Amino acid sequence: MNAQIANAPLRRGAADAAAIRAAGLRTLEIEAAGLAVLQGAMAGELGENFVRAVETIHAAKGRLIVTGMGKSGHVGNKITATLASTGTPCFFLHPAEASHGDLGMVTPGDVILALSWSGETAELRDIIHYSRRHRVPLIAITSGATSALGKAADVPLILPKVEEACPHGLAPTTSTTIQLALGDAVAVALLERRGFTPANFHQFHPGGKLGAQLLTVGDLMKKAPDLPLVRQDMDMGAVIVAMTGHSLGAAIVVDAAGELAGIITDGDLRRHMGPDILQRTAAELMTPSPTATVPEMLASAALKEMNDRKISVLVALEGNKPVGALHMHALLQAGVA
């Protein structure tokens, strides 16, 4: 009986459901309003200091050290992960551990990014003093302009006062949302400042679905000599033999200079099937000037191209000469599709 009660579906009245939905919508509206206030603040002093903060981090010869306590620390951990994955060498330093030996991780070439909504977090005191004593640049994300952290920082990023979504005004909600948003803004600005490319991004995200999306055509394509290359004047009997000897489901037709002239797919064979097909030439059956790409193209972009054009094979070129061919099956196997 107890198990049945525990597994029974929770029943709520229409009024309860409406109240729950209203609470969720109210939270989103309040936090969205907070983000709008933050966006407006970027037009003033916050925006000027934001530029200084990004340039300070970009110019650092060492690493960016992110720190914060409590909810600000959790936000700091996420900001650290975003920065690290977008090309900024950094790590998170817990303030309490810093006071017990981990300050030794901080070197003269580093920059410290400290998060504290009030700016009076006691656990940050030793990190602040250390940064001043050893002249390590200190960037603060805080709402306390006249707080200990705000006054000590070389670059204070002063957040606007916003309404918390918590109805009691106690649980950090909107405040942590705008802290995180400003951290993301720093990461993206640094990404663009460094000229960070999708290829760079792939180096830090080799696994999972994201890693698959960052593969290139060159990573997945069949390469010479495993390509069914045929000449324009070759009879279809020889073309079919070439197609059968490779698992591409197509033959790539080249001209006398070895440049791409066309492609013949299994579908082309079916459409032109007749008693004289073996006596016809590749030039007669091929689709001229087929869709082609380059090995550097992202596999995800190649997938979109193939879906848009309803094709299963994409020829990769260097100059005008085929150097590879990408089949839809390769995209499926790699987890791109």
Side-chain angles (χ1 to χ4, degrees), residues 87-175:
T88 298
C90 65
F91 66 88
F92 182 82
L93 177 61
H94 194 285
E97 298 296 339
S99 299
H100 293 274
D102 282 1
L103 277 172
M105 296 179 180
V106 184
T107 64
D110 296 337
V111 174
I112 296 173
L113 173 63
L115 290 85
S116 170
W117 181 253
S118 68
E120 298 292 351
T121 304
E123 291 85 354
L124 289 175
R125 180 187 57 202
D126 290 339
I127 293 178
I128 294 172
H129 290 168
Y130 187 91
S131 73
R132 303 303 79 193
R133 187 163 61 252
H134 295 280
R135 299 182 180 179
V136 178
L138 175 64
I139 301 168
I141 295 181
T142 180
S143 68
T146 59
S147 66
L149 177 60
K151 290 190 295 185
D154 298 294
V155 186
L157 300 177
I158 306 302
L159 298 171
K161 301 290 186 181
V162 291
E163 178 188 0
E164 297 287 13
C166 169
H168 308 299
L170 299 175
T173 45
T174 312
S175 57

Side-chain angles (χ1 to χ4, degrees), residues 236 240 243 264-273 277:
M236 285 305 300
I240 292 172
M243 291 175 66
I264 299 172
T265 66
D266 290 335
D268 292 322
L269 293 181
R270 290 192 294 273
R271 283 187 291 272
H272 292 89
M273 187 59 66
I277 188 171

